[in-house]
Amino acid sequence: MQVNNLINGQWVGADSGATFEVINPATDEVVARVPLGGSTETERAVSAAHDAWLKWRGTTANERASLIDKLAALMRRDADRLARLMTAEQGKPLAESRGEIAYAVSFLDWAAEEAKRIYGEIIPASAPNKRILVFRQPVGVCAIITPWNFPSAMITRKLGPALAAGCTVVIKPAEDTPLSAIALGELALEAGIPAGVVNIVTGDPRAIGGLLTSDQRVRKLSFTGSTEVGRLLMKQSSDNLLRLSMELGGHAPFIIFDDADMSRAAEAAMACKFRNAGQTCICANRFYVHESVHTDFVSRLSSAIGTLRVGDGTQEGVNVGPLINDEAITKVESHVADAREKGASVLVGGQRVRIKGLADRFYAPTLIDGMTADMRVHHEETFGPVAAVRSFRTEEEVVEWANSSQFGLAAYFFTQNASRLIRVAERLEYGIVGANDGGPSTVQAPFGGVKQSGFGREGGKYVMDEYTQLKYISWGV
Ligand code: SIN
């Protein structure tokens, strides 16, 4: 199957005709071929987005809300098809893909409402013959660069509020998972979103990113992906003083205090760690368990991991799919090997799972005990199904360990002591804290990190600040 890019309402290939393959990570089958676009195609998409913006910014909030609502309704109508497409290109189990489509739709639903709440203000002036009026206006053309781990939701989380604010967009999806983006583009056209408002370019990340960060008609870049690429984009954007939102890497601590509800903590740990085969920016990376409950926790986790089924995400009952590509599985292997060499014990898993007829990209859900601070699992994002445990003695010590990371996206802890709950939550240097909660992601909250995990917030009313800018009118009367 050959699919095309969306530029100015038209489905087009790369000028050169070149394409690249999208591979099903579970089976190695070629799912589709997509255009290998570059700077020329991206420049055309930016022109289309800019021309469209001149009209789109003048539409009413109700018009924009109604189009976003239509797009959401079409995603709901096609949820099963979109979920299957996602599993084919990304590998996550079908149930998770269905969950992601619902999550993706929730961002559109919310944005359609926010479109109607973009208010200005009138500020009392210091002179009797003046009035100060504050307007909130769309920033303009937005570049949206999204990752492969959530091929739909990371787009709608940006696209919904951008459209609601009156911005137009050029989307560059990840090379591994462009098909979910293209399917969204088809639905955007079907919903009646005007040509040029939503554009999608696939292909060479350097060339596309280079153009998006240097063309002065682009006024905003929202990026979700690695800290390394985020830094590069930020450097490239500096000449243009581009407004940026950066949702970057994480390295979440998951702390279990001696007074935790152990069954709740273990259940949350499983969901938080093994969702999407451990390939999320907010998944638990470092489990710190109080020494008095260490044996209990490790035994609960070992048993729960034993119930996970690894395999092709289209198969009923599979909970853990493949890793996205060969590089990803090699990285997971190297983290486990490094932990072993430095003295950790691998209690469960610790090797690839080879399944007849499938690709060699499945890694066994793994539990490592005896993690120490010098291990790679302790400070680098593993992005795989590996849970590593370290015991602690005091609250003081564990909060210090938790904050010792360069990252600051999500942190989790479990306690039944209300004073400790507030004390620890306040001291954790993270943008998102799950207190007795392993799944804090939700549409109404300000998702985002601090330190090397980036800046900017996505979700709820907060995201509207990212796509709007203030202007005031000093009005002499
Ligand atoms: C991510 O961590 O990659 C995004 C996950 C989410 O929104 O829950």
mmCIF file of all heavy atoms in Angstrom, residues 158-178:
data_model
loop_
_atom_site.group_PDB
_atom_site.id
_atom_site.type_symbol
_atom_site.label_atom_id
_atom_site.label_comp_id
_atom_site.label_asym_id
_atom_site.label_seq_id
_atom_site.Cartn_x
_atom_site.Cartn_y
_atom_site.Cartn_z
ATOM 1 N N LYS A 158 -1.820 18.050 20.590
ATOM 2 C CA LYS A 158 -1.298 19.328 20.079
ATOM 3 C C LYS A 158 -2.254 19.919 19.033
ATOM 4 O O LYS A 158 -2.519 21.122 19.024
ATOM 5 C CB LYS A 158 0.074 19.100 19.431
ATOM 6 C CG LYS A 158 1.102 18.466 20.379
ATOM 7 C CD LYS A 158 2.373 18.117 19.618
ATOM 8 C CE LYS A 158 3.323 17.245 20.410
ATOM 9 N NZ LYS A 158 3.791 17.779 21.674
ATOM 10 N N LEU A 159 -2.725 19.039 18.153
ATOM 11 C CA LEU A 159 -3.577 19.497 17.050
ATOM 12 C C LEU A 159 -4.870 20.127 17.566
ATOM 13 O O LEU A 159 -5.287 21.198 17.083
ATOM 14 C CB LEU A 159 -3.905 18.290 16.153
ATOM 15 C CG LEU A 159 -4.905 18.522 15.025
ATOM 16 C CD1 LEU A 159 -4.326 19.457 13.981
ATOM 17 C CD2 LEU A 159 -5.305 17.187 14.369
ATOM 18 N N GLY A 160 -5.528 19.473 18.542
ATOM 19 C CA GLY A 160 -6.812 19.968 19.050
ATOM 20 C C GLY A 160 -6.698 21.411 19.524
ATOM 21 O O GLY A 160 -7.384 22.304 19.000
ATOM 22 N N PRO A 161 -5.807 21.686 20.497
ATOM 23 C CA PRO A 161 -5.715 23.060 20.983
ATOM 24 C C PRO A 161 -5.204 24.047 19.929
ATOM 25 O O PRO A 161 -5.600 25.215 19.930
ATOM 26 C CB PRO A 161 -4.744 22.971 22.166
ATOM 27 C CG PRO A 161 -4.126 21.623 22.102
ATOM 28 C CD PRO A 161 -5.027 20.738 21.311
ATOM 29 N N ALA A 162 -4.322 23.577 19.035
ATOM 30 C CA ALA A 162 -3.825 24.491 17.984
ATOM 31 C C ALA A 162 -4.998 24.948 17.119
ATOM 32 O O ALA A 162 -5.182 26.149 16.881
ATOM 33 C CB ALA A 162 -2.766 23.786 17.132
ATOM 34 N N LEU A 163 -5.810 23.996 16.673
ATOM 35 C CA LEU A 163 -6.960 24.362 15.832
ATOM 36 C C LEU A 163 -7.945 25.218 16.627
ATOM 37 O O LEU A 163 -8.492 26.201 16.104
ATOM 38 C CB LEU A 163 -7.676 23.102 15.321
ATOM 39 C CG LEU A 163 -6.884 22.179 14.399
ATOM 40 C CD1 LEU A 163 -7.753 21.019 13.934
ATOM 41 C CD2 LEU A 163 -6.324 22.933 13.197
ATOM 42 N N ALA A 164 -8.166 24.843 17.882
ATOM 43 C CA ALA A 164 -9.119 25.595 18.715
ATOM 44 C C ALA A 164 -8.691 27.049 18.832
ATOM 45 O O ALA A 164 -9.516 27.961 18.799
ATOM 46 C CB ALA A 164 -9.205 24.955 20.096
ATOM 47 N N ALA A 165 -7.383 27.281 18.952
ATOM 48 C CA ALA A 165 -6.876 28.644 19.130
ATOM 49 C C ALA A 165 -6.934 29.460 17.838
ATOM 50 O O ALA A 165 -6.806 30.672 17.873
ATOM 51 C CB ALA A 165 -5.436 28.587 19.633
ATOM 52 N N GLY A 166 -7.082 28.768 16.696
ATOM 53 C CA GLY A 166 -7.072 29.481 15.415
ATOM 54 C C GLY A 166 -5.728 29.375 14.706
ATOM 55 O O GLY A 166 -5.417 30.196 13.828
ATOM 56 N N CYS A 167 -4.934 28.371 15.073
ATOM 57 C CA CYS A 167 -3.644 28.141 14.402
ATOM 58 C C CYS A 167 -3.827 27.088 13.315
ATOM 59 O O CYS A 167 -4.751 26.268 13.379
ATOM 60 C CB CYS A 167 -2.607 27.603 15.385
ATOM 61 S SG CYS A 167 -2.286 28.700 16.771
ATOM 62 N N THR A 168 -2.917 27.068 12.358
ATOM 63 C CA THR A 168 -2.861 25.985 11.381
ATOM 64 C C THR A 168 -1.582 25.188 11.649
ATOM 65 O O THR A 168 -0.688 25.672 12.353
ATOM 66 C CB THR A 168 -2.868 26.536 9.941
ATOM 67 O OG1 THR A 168 -1.761 27.444 9.815
ATOM 68 C CG2 THR A 168 -4.173 27.272 9.651
ATOM 69 N N VAL A 169 -1.506 23.978 11.088
ATOM 70 C CA VAL A 169 -0.396 23.115 11.505
ATOM 71 C C VAL A 169 0.287 22.393 10.336
ATOM 72 O O VAL A 169 -0.335 22.108 9.316
ATOM 73 C CB VAL A 169 -0.877 22.033 12.510
ATOM 74 C CG1 VAL A 169 -1.532 22.651 13.726
ATOM 75 C CG2 VAL A 169 -1.821 21.047 11.867
ATOM 76 N N VAL A 170 1.567 22.099 10.574
ATOM 77 C CA VAL A 170 2.299 21.149 9.733
ATOM 78 C C VAL A 170 2.769 20.053 10.693
ATOM 79 O O VAL A 170 3.516 20.326 11.636
ATOM 80 C CB VAL A 170 3.515 21.798 9.041
ATOM 81 C CG1 VAL A 170 4.282 20.752 8.239
ATOM 82 C CG2 VAL A 170 3.070 22.947 8.155
ATOM 83 N N ILE A 171 2.290 18.842 10.444
ATOM 84 C CA ILE A 171 2.616 17.722 11.343
ATOM 85 C C ILE A 171 3.712 16.878 10.708
ATOM 86 O O ILE A 171 3.626 16.520 9.527
ATOM 87 C CB ILE A 171 1.378 16.826 11.568
ATOM 88 C CG1 ILE A 171 0.235 17.647 12.172
ATOM 89 C CG2 ILE A 171 1.712 15.631 12.444
ATOM 90 C CD1 ILE A 171 -1.107 16.924 12.182
ATOM 91 N N LYS A 172 4.729 16.567 11.502
ATOM 92 C CA LYS A 172 5.762 15.634 11.047
ATOM 93 C C LYS A 172 5.735 14.440 12.016
ATOM 94 O O LYS A 172 6.251 14.518 13.138
ATOM 95 C CB LYS A 172 7.126 16.325 11.049
ATOM 96 C CG LYS A 172 8.230 15.572 10.357
ATOM 97 C CD LYS A 172 8.953 14.737 11.326
ATOM 98 C CE LYS A 172 9.870 13.732 10.719
ATOM 99 N NZ LYS A 172 9.866 12.532 11.559
ATOM 100 N N PRO A 173 5.084 13.349 11.608
ATOM 101 C CA PRO A 173 5.031 12.187 12.508
ATOM 102 C C PRO A 173 6.347 11.414 12.485
ATOM 103 O O PRO A 173 7.162 11.584 11.567
ATOM 104 C CB PRO A 173 3.900 11.341 11.906
ATOM 105 C CG PRO A 173 3.860 11.700 10.461
ATOM 106 C CD PRO A 173 4.389 13.113 10.327
ATOM 107 N N ALA A 174 6.519 10.555 13.476
ATOM 108 C CA ALA A 174 7.743 9.742 13.548
ATOM 109 C C ALA A 174 7.840 8.827 12.331
ATOM 110 O O ALA A 174 6.820 8.361 11.809
ATOM 111 C CB ALA A 174 7.707 8.906 14.818
ATOM 112 N N GLU A 175 9.049 8.543 11.897
ATOM 113 C CA GLU A 175 9.262 7.680 10.715
ATOM 114 C C GLU A 175 8.695 6.279 10.948
ATOM 115 O O GLU A 175 8.241 5.634 10.010
ATOM 116 C CB GLU A 175 10.759 7.535 10.381
ATOM 117 C CG GLU A 175 11.454 8.817 9.985
ATOM 118 C CD GLU A 175 11.934 9.582 11.193
ATOM 119 O OE1 GLU A 175 13.063 9.357 11.649
ATOM 120 O OE2 GLU A 175 11.157 10.439 11.684
ATOM 121 N N ASP A 176 8.743 5.787 12.197
ATOM 122 C CA ASP A 176 8.252 4.432 12.449
ATOM 123 C C ASP A 176 6.728 4.337 12.360
ATOM 124 O O ASP A 176 6.192 3.264 12.118
ATOM 125 C CB ASP A 176 8.686 3.959 13.853
ATOM 126 C CG ASP A 176 10.171 3.629 13.907
ATOM 127 O OD1 ASP A 176 10.656 2.921 13.009
ATOM 128 O OD2 ASP A 176 10.851 4.090 14.842
ATOM 129 N N THR A 177 6.030 5.449 12.636
ATOM 130 C CA THR A 177 4.558 5.364 12.752
ATOM 131 C C THR A 177 3.831 6.522 12.054
ATOM 132 O O THR A 177 3.078 7.259 12.694
ATOM 133 C CB THR A 177 4.152 5.372 14.242
ATOM 134 O OG1 THR A 177 4.692 6.574 14.832
ATOM 135 C CG2 THR A 177 4.630 4.167 14.995
ATOM 136 N N PRO A 178 4.009 6.672 10.751
ATOM 137 C CA PRO A 178 3.340 7.805 10.082
ATOM 138 C C PRO A 178 1.882 7.520 9.715
ATOM 139 O O PRO A 178 1.137 8.434 9.375
ATOM 140 C CB PRO A 178 4.173 7.976 8.800
ATOM 141 C CG PRO A 178 4.704 6.607 8.523
ATOM 142 C CD PRO A 178 4.897 5.926 9.847
#
